[in-house]
Amino acid sequence: MSDKNVALVLASGGSRGLAHIGAIEALQERGYNITSIAGTSMGALVGGLYAAGGLKDFEQWMTSVDRWKVFTLMDFTLTNKGFVKGDKIIGELKELVSDQMIENLQIPFAAVATDIRHRQEVVFEEGSLYEAIRASISIPSLFTPHIIDDMMLIDGGVLNPLPISCVKRTPGDILVVVDLNGPYLPEVEDSEEEVPQEKSIAVQKIEEYYEYLKDKVDTIKGKVDSFVDKYKSDKMLESEALVEEFEEKESLHDINLVEILDRSSGVMGQRIVDLTLKLYPPDVLVRIAKNAYSTLDFHRYSEISALGRRLMNEALDRFEGVK
């Protein structure tokens, strides 16, 4: 294929979506021409900003993001529909790139959300770019649903985490897919450098929201302490074998409700993605493991973006080698 036109599909995946930036840069550096994009959740955010010509500004802004910046962008709410309203994040993005109508973007773009009221997928191909992004990034239980007309919209990844079916194709183009919900990596136990032990998404949220959710955290902590004390009895610690058994049980049981929900959605998402890839085989596929980074690891922009760039270059090497 000589024209190198690319129909690009960007998956949902929280902070792992920063890998989309590196992947796009790799495509551009190697002379590929992105002619259309479809994205879900962070894929919609990155893809939409690229289609609007603002990805470089977003990339520059991301270099300044640390844990505290992520926390300050969380406009907490007391409703029972989610922790975060999302207005601060959208407002910050609008400061970087002004809102545009999707139908007027530089290239065709589609963002996917889920309407839980009507139980159906919603594909935004026209209207406000930021209305579409806000709807698509509405992670259930974290962001409040986004209301448009009679629709109650949540993260598009619930129904379509890899929206290959939504990207516009042109004759002879190359279908390039970046999946962020790939098979889990084995847990690293003996690594000595640059692989810090990552806390679970639940623990990260508890730490970051501690002051805001103090009463709830105290309740959870009391239950966890009670559980640990129960199994750390003298009888269980009498032999090395029993110690090892205890540590294994603790790792299996020391998971709270938020992490159970996250892992459950991960299993469902991976199954949907696997079936989607069988139905729509891409020409170039980049897969990043679901557990490579946690949902809120946005402060790790540089390494996540670099991972996307490296894996895209490797995928393009394979693709170009068989042409």
Side-chain angles (χ1 to χ4, degrees):
M1 299 178 189
S2 58
D3 57 6
K4 288 192 170 183
N5 285 343
V6 166
L8 181 62
V9 179
L10 304 177
S12 62
S15 70
R16 297 187 303 284
L18 298 173
H20 294 322
I21 297 174
I24 288 173
E25 289 176 341
L27 286 167
Q28 292 176 313
E29 290 164 0
R30 295 176 67 144
Y32 289 88
N33 177 38
I34 299 172
T35 55
S36 61
I37 298 179
T40 294
S41 198
M42 269 300 289
L45 191 156
V46 173
L49 293 179
Y50 175 81
L55 189 58
K56 283 295 181 183
D57 292 326
F58 177 68
E59 180 181 358
Q60 181 62 36
W61 178 77
M62 279 303 309
T63 61
S64 67
V65 172
D66 54 18
R67 286 182 184 271
W68 176 247
K69 180 69 172 178
V70 173
F71 180 75
T72 60
L73 289 173
M74 300 294 180
D75 44 356
F76 299 113
T77 176
L78 295 175
T79 72
N80 59 3
K81 296 181 176 64
F83 289 124
V84 180
K85 291 186 291 184
D87 296 340
K88 279 189 177 181
I89 295 172
I90 297 299
E92 192 89 5
L93 293 176
K94 286 182 178 179
E95 290 293 321
L96 299 172
V97 183
S98 61
D99 196 9
Q100 301 177 39
M101 301 299 285
I102 294 175
E103 59 268 31
N104 296 333
L105 295 177
Q106 297 176 10
I107 61 176
F109 169 70
V112 179
T114 301
D115 178 4
I116 55 174
R117 181 180 180 190
H118 299 99
R119 303 177 186 178
Q120 63 185 12
E121 175 183 297
V122 176
V123 181
F124 290 89
E125 297 178 298
E126 58 183 25
S128 163
L129 173 63
Y130 284 112
E131 287 287 317
I133 289 174
R134 173 61 183 86
S136 188
I137 66 172
S138 300
I139 301 173
S141 79
L142 179 58
F143 286 98
T144 57
H146 190 55
I147 308 299
I148 298 179
D149 298 327
D150 65 341
M151 297 183 293
M152 179 175 284
L153 299 166
I154 63 170
D155 197 303
V158 171
L159 286 181
N160 196 349
L162 194 65
I164 301 177
S165 59
C166 302
V167 71
K168 289 189 180 297
R169 303 296 303 274
T170 56
D173 67 10
I174 302 164
L175 179 60
V176 178
V177 172
V178 183
D179 170 35
L180 308 176
N181 300 283
Y184 273 57
L185 293 170
E187 293 187 8
V188 177
E189 296 180 355
D190 299 319
S191 179
E192 297 181 356
E193 56 180 342
E194 296 186 359
V195 188
Q197 287 290 333
E198 287 298 312
K199 297 178 181 179
S200 69
I201 294 172
V203 174
Q204 286 185 19
K205 287 180 180 177
I206 289 172
E207 289 182 342
E208 292 172 358
Y209 305 160
Y210 184 84
E211 292 299 326
Y212 180 73
L213 302 173
K214 189 174 185 303
D215 291 340
K216 293 183 180 179
V217 172
D218 288 342
T219 299
I220 294 173
K221 185 176 184 300
K223 291 181 179 179
V224 172
D225 288 343
S226 176
F227 173 83
V228 172
D229 289 340
K230 176 181 177 182
Y231 284 93
K232 281 186 176 179
S233 64
D234 293 338
K235 289 184 178 180
M236 291 197 68
L237 300 178
E238 287 177 353
S239 68
E240 183 177 347
L242 286 176
V243 172
E244 292 177 355
E245 181 182 353
F246 161 72
E247 289 174 346
E248 180 179 356
K249 287 184 177 180
E250 184 179 40
S251 67
L252 291 174
H253 290 280
D254 192 20
I255 299 175
N256 68 26
L257 177 60
V258 177
E259 188 164 354
I260 290 173
L261 290 173
D262 180 71
R263 293 193 182 193
S264 298
S265 65
V267 171
M268 292 187 291
Q270 186 177 328
R271 176 58 61 89
I272 293 172
V273 165
D274 290 343
L275 293 174
T276 299
L277 290 171
K278 288 182 179 179
L279 188 61
Y280 305 100
D283 298 300
V284 177
L285 174 63
V286 171
R287 300 200 84 177
I288 295 175
K290 168 76 175 176
N291 63 336
Y293 293 95
S294 298
T295 300
L296 297 178
D297 276 347
F298 291 99
H299 60 286
R300 302 175 70 176
Y301 162 72
S302 295
E303 62 184 276
I304 299 176
S305 177
L307 175 63
R309 178 195 294 267
R310 177 174 64 81
L311 293 181
M312 178 59 76
N313 276 316
E314 291 175 358
L316 291 174
D317 286 343
R318 292 191 294 270
F319 172 71
E320 293 170 357
V322 299
K323 285 201 306 182

